[in-house]
Amino acid sequence: MDEMSLLEILVRSEFGTYVMVATLVFAIREATKVPKKYIPALSIVIGVLLAILEFKGFSFEVLKSGIQNAVWAIGMVFGVKYVQEKKLNKNT
């Protein structure tokens, strides 16, 4: 059996797409100061668009995959923001 690199494993497990969605949403939120209430909708749109590009088409499975990656990304973005704010409050 061939050894797979860590990058190949992450991409095959859809981890790469989810991190990409989280990174894009975090960058957009920081750059434009989008209100928190729009972050979930933005994540879903980006997640579905990336899933369409990944699967080269649109179907129920693509929609499900895009929404799944968006939900994971939302958790990651809000988790990172929570940790940052907690560290900032701890230092003051």
Side-chain angles (χ1 to χ4, degrees):
M1 185 185 294
D2 295 326
E3 290 186 31
M4 294 188 343
S5 70
L6 178 61
L7 183 60
E8 289 174 343
I9 293 170
L10 293 177
V11 170
R12 287 187 182 180
S13 68
E14 296 182 8
F15 183 76
T17 307
Y18 135 68
V19 170
M20 192 180 308
V21 172
T23 304
L24 287 171
V25 170
F26 185 77
I28 290 170
R29 182 167 189 249
E30 290 297 311
T32 62
K33 301 298 181 190
V34 173
K36 286 182 184 180
K37 66 181 181 179
Y38 297 121
I39 295 297
L42 179 65
S43 295
I44 290 171
V45 169
I46 292 172
V48 171
L49 289 174
L50 287 175
I52 289 170
L53 291 173
E54 181 181 359
F55 290 103
K56 297 179 178 76
F58 186 77
S59 67
F60 178 73
E61 291 300 318
V62 171
L63 182 65
K64 188 174 86 172
S65 175
I67 291 173
Q68 180 182 14
N69 287 331
V71 169
W72 290 342
I74 292 166
M76 185 175 181
V77 168
F78 284 120
V80 167
K81 286 301 288 181
Y82 175 78
V83 169
Q84 286 178 343
E85 289 172 3
K86 190 165 181 138
K87 282 184 179 181
L88 182 65
N89 291 337
K90 190 176 182 179
N91 290 335
T92 57

